[in-house]
Amino acid sequence: MVVMRKLRWVMDGGGFWDLDISTPKTLDGLASPVPGDPLPLGLSRGARLSRPRQLQFTQLFMNAPFLPSFSQPHGFTLQRVLSLPFSDNWVVFLLGQFNLQKFISSVKNSEEKPARVSSWLKTFGSHLKKKSLYALGLCSEFQLTPDDTLLFGLDSYDYTDKPRGKAILHHKFPHHDLTLEAVHPGLFVDKIGNYWDVPFSMAIDLASSTTSDSSAGYHLSAHYASGSPKQFESIQNQNDRVPRTLLPGLTFKSVFSCRKSIDIWRSETPKLKRVQPYDIFLSDPRVSASGMIGAAATTYFGENSARAQTDDDGEHSAGLFLQASGIKSSFLADLFGSISFTAQHGNFQRPFLDLSRFQARLDFPSGSKFLSGATSLTQDLLNSQKPNLEAVQAVFPNATLSLQQQIVGPISFRVDSGIAVDLKNLEFPIQAHEPVFAVEYALHVLGSAKAVAWCCPKRQEFMVELRFFET
């Protein structure tokens, strides 16, 4: 079954890679995916633009006093930031969030019926004083050196007495990215959309970085978690089974991969002269394909090393698995692969319908499961037997589709969705899984940047954010 765990676009490196997702559940707009097996981590893409930086940019250069968001059960909220630059290398952000939906409901449900304007204003002000309407975040960013950035964040919410804190250090090597992170508590999201709070989480991550379309790379990381994970505001998925990879313990991960990209066709038609494309990275019509193959290995120490014959989805475990129960440790290794296809028409220069883009990606997160299913399926066909349903299901990859169409000027519409294939469901064996709809506004004066308003109906989440080209 396909699970689109990331609310990041296909072209931005989403899919089954373990990258942070965007979510309105937290003030900083981020949550981490529950690590999957065998953890095929993607190559590092550097630090993302923080939520306070996004708000600062929209307030200064886009005349947007607030950025809206929506999530259940909180409802519709508005965010604004106040920046305090203490020096060229140090800035402090005070991020505030106001729950507009809760405020309106409070006013409507009020039993007070003021007769005069002064009384109405007094009642109105009394509702605004309710602490439950507000959430505050304090964020401090230090530019230690041109290659080192240190971030501290502390968020306070009305629904919990425990603030959410984090510290992150980014270091940029010539060909590597290093990230050190500690969060208390850490927010994680699993495959079916449940959010989990881990009391304390710490990670060290080193990844090779490259801008080449055809290259080899690796990714090394260590992750430590302590405390008992607790479910965080699950409203549509009532499965309270804690994912094994979130249990207390120490995890070491390593991934090695090779990637190759080719252009099947590229337009030779010249672009319009003296007309800048709305996005320079979406200005070349072409048809291209890329493939990736790699190996991933994970070592667990602690309670997270416990593993039965089936994984968290109830399916048979895949890959090479070794376990030493005496010292609470285990080892898992497997192959993985990915194939993607991209087709684009238009230069994104003209005012109307000058960009049509389609992208499809097939992910094979477990090479051993694929080979086992393919072998079983081949034997059934050679012996003129009916193919085993589980073997057929095992060879199906995780599919993700993306469609983008310019509407007018810098505005385009986009939809990304996973494709779920469940052969046991005879009535609807193929379904769209967790579609994400978005309207993008290209900030063409910056070359490649966009304001995105996206909505995920299944998770009942809506958010407006900025996305800059990440290297």
Side-chain angles (χ1 to χ4, degrees):
M1 179 179 178
V2 173
V3 180
M4 188 176 181
R5 299 182 300 166
K6 316 293 179 288
L7 293 182
R8 298 192 67 178
W9 304 135
V10 175
M11 62 184 296
D12 292 336
F16 64 94
W17 307 120
D18 286 324
L19 296 173
D20 288 342
I21 69 168
S22 299
T23 176
K25 293 284 187 180
T26 59
L27 281 176
D28 65 357
L30 291 176
S32 299
V34 171
D37 294 332
L39 300 176
L41 300 175
L43 297 183
S44 174
R45 296 175 55 82
R48 298 183 63 187
L49 189 69
S50 66
R51 186 63 173 173
R53 289 287 187 184
Q54 294 182 37
L55 290 163
Q56 182 189 42
F57 184 91
T58 57
Q59 291 172 195
L60 293 178
F61 303 105
M62 300 180 65
N63 297 320
F66 305 98
L67 281 188
S69 62
F70 175 87
S71 67
Q72 288 287 15
H74 301 295
F76 189 79
T77 60
L78 300 173
Q79 286 188 338
R80 183 174 174 84
V81 72
L82 174 65
S83 58
L84 304 172
F86 287 94
S87 68
D88 294 338
N89 301 324
W90 180 28
V91 60
V92 174
F93 297 100
L94 181 62
L95 193 156
Q97 178 174 282
F98 177 71
N99 195 314
L100 181 61
Q101 184 168 331
K102 186 181 292 186
F103 169 72
I104 295 176
S105 299
S106 176
V107 173
K108 286 184 177 180
N109 297 331
S110 176
E111 297 180 356
E112 300 179 28
K113 303 296 181 181
R116 295 180 299 177
V117 175
S118 59
S119 299
W120 183 87
L121 291 176
K122 184 178 180 180
T123 303
F124 188 83
S126 65
H127 286 287
L128 285 175
K129 294 179 181 179
K130 294 182 178 180
K131 295 181 179 180
S132 61
L133 300 178
Y134 303 93
L136 295 176
L138 185 66
C139 177
S140 180
E141 293 187 11
F142 298 87
Q143 191 72 32
L144 303 178
T145 70
D147 297 322
D148 294 274
T149 302
L150 180 62
L151 181 146
F152 291 101
L154 185 65
D155 299 338
S156 177
Y157 305 86
D158 67 282
Y159 51 82
T160 177
D161 296 331
K162 297 181 180 179
R164 191 180 300 275
K166 67 168 51 178
I168 304 174
L169 173 66
H170 292 289
H171 178 75
K172 182 73 175 179
F173 290 103
H175 301 290
H176 296 80
D177 290 320
L178 175 66
T179 302
L180 288 79
E181 180 181 55
V183 291
H184 174 73
L187 185 66
F188 293 80
V189 58
D190 64 19
K191 296 179 180 181
I192 60 175
N194 287 327
Y195 286 88
W196 300 88
D197 263 336
V198 176
F200 179 75
S201 175
M202 185 170 61
I204 302 175
D205 187 278
L206 176 67
S208 59
S209 59
T210 177
T211 57
S212 173
D213 291 334
S214 301
S215 60
Y218 58 89
H219 196 132
L220 309 174
S221 65
H223 179 263
Y224 172 76
S226 67
S228 300
K230 295 183 179 180
Q231 201 165 16
F232 175 82
E233 296 182 351
S234 176
I235 57 171
Q236 66 266 24
N237 302 307
Q238 299 302 320
N239 184 5
D240 57 355
R241 182 180 179 182
V242 179
R244 279 187 285 268
T245 52
L246 289 185
L247 294 176
L250 180 63
T251 306
F252 294 97
K253 318 167 192 176
S254 61
V255 177
F256 298 87
S257 62
C258 296
R259 182 173 183 265
K260 177 68 176 180
S261 299
I262 59 172
D263 280 338
I264 302 173
W265 169 83
R266 183 179 289 268
S267 174
E268 297 181 357
T269 304
K271 296 183 177 69
L272 297 177
K273 296 181 179 180
R274 295 185 294 275
V275 178
Q276 180 183 354
Y278 293 108
D279 190 320
I280 61 174
F281 297 105
L282 296 177
S283 61
D284 294 318
R286 67 183 185 276
V287 176
S288 61
S290 65
M292 177 185 291
I293 187 170
T298 309
T299 304
Y300 300 94
F301 296 95
E303 295 182 30
N304 58 357
S305 64
R307 185 182 177 92
Q309 293 299 316
T310 58
D311 56 24
D312 289 326
D313 295 328
E315 301 178 356
H316 290 291
S317 301
L320 173 64
F321 177 71
L322 303 173
Q323 186 172 26
S325 57
I327 57 175
K328 286 189 176 182
S329 65
S330 62
F331 174 81
L332 178 67
D334 206 348
L335 302 174
F336 65 91
S338 178
I339 300 173
S340 64
F341 173 84
T342 303
Q344 177 179 321
H345 172 73
N347 300 100
F348 207 16
Q349 287 182 296
R350 295 177 174 84
F352 300 101
L353 307 178
D354 194 30
L355 174 67
S356 299
R357 185 180 176 90
F358 168 80
Q359 187 169 17
R361 193 185 64 248
L362 304 178
D363 296 327
F364 301 86
S366 173
S368 61
K369 185 176 291 188
F370 174 81
L371 292 175
S372 176
T375 302
S376 176
L377 186 59
T378 301
Q379 291 177 346
D380 291 339
L381 294 176
L382 292 177
N383 296 328
S384 299
Q385 297 179 351
K386 183 179 179 181
N388 183 278
L389 191 62
E390 292 185 359
V392 176
Q393 183 78 52
V395 300
F396 272 102
N398 295 346
T400 308
L401 301 180
S402 173
L403 294 171
Q404 183 176 4
Q405 177 63 57
Q406 179 194 17
I407 300 175
V408 56
I411 302 175
S412 62
F413 175 77
R414 181 162 185 160
V415 57
D416 282 26
S417 178
I419 303 298
V421 179
D422 185 3
L423 298 180
K424 297 179 181 179
N425 187 347
L426 299 180
E427 187 175 359
F428 300 104
I430 301 178
Q431 300 180 9
H433 189 80
E434 286 198 7
V436 178
F437 304 92
V439 175
E440 298 187 359
Y441 184 88
L443 307 175
H444 64 285
V445 294
L446 299 178
S448 180
K450 53 195 173 184
V452 182
W454 60 261
C455 173
C456 183
K458 180 180 179 181
R459 297 192 180 182
Q460 302 181 50
E461 293 182 355
F462 163 82
M463 191 174 183
V464 177
E465 59 178 331
L466 293 183
R467 297 184 179 180
F468 290 78
F469 177 70
E470 298 172 299
T471 56

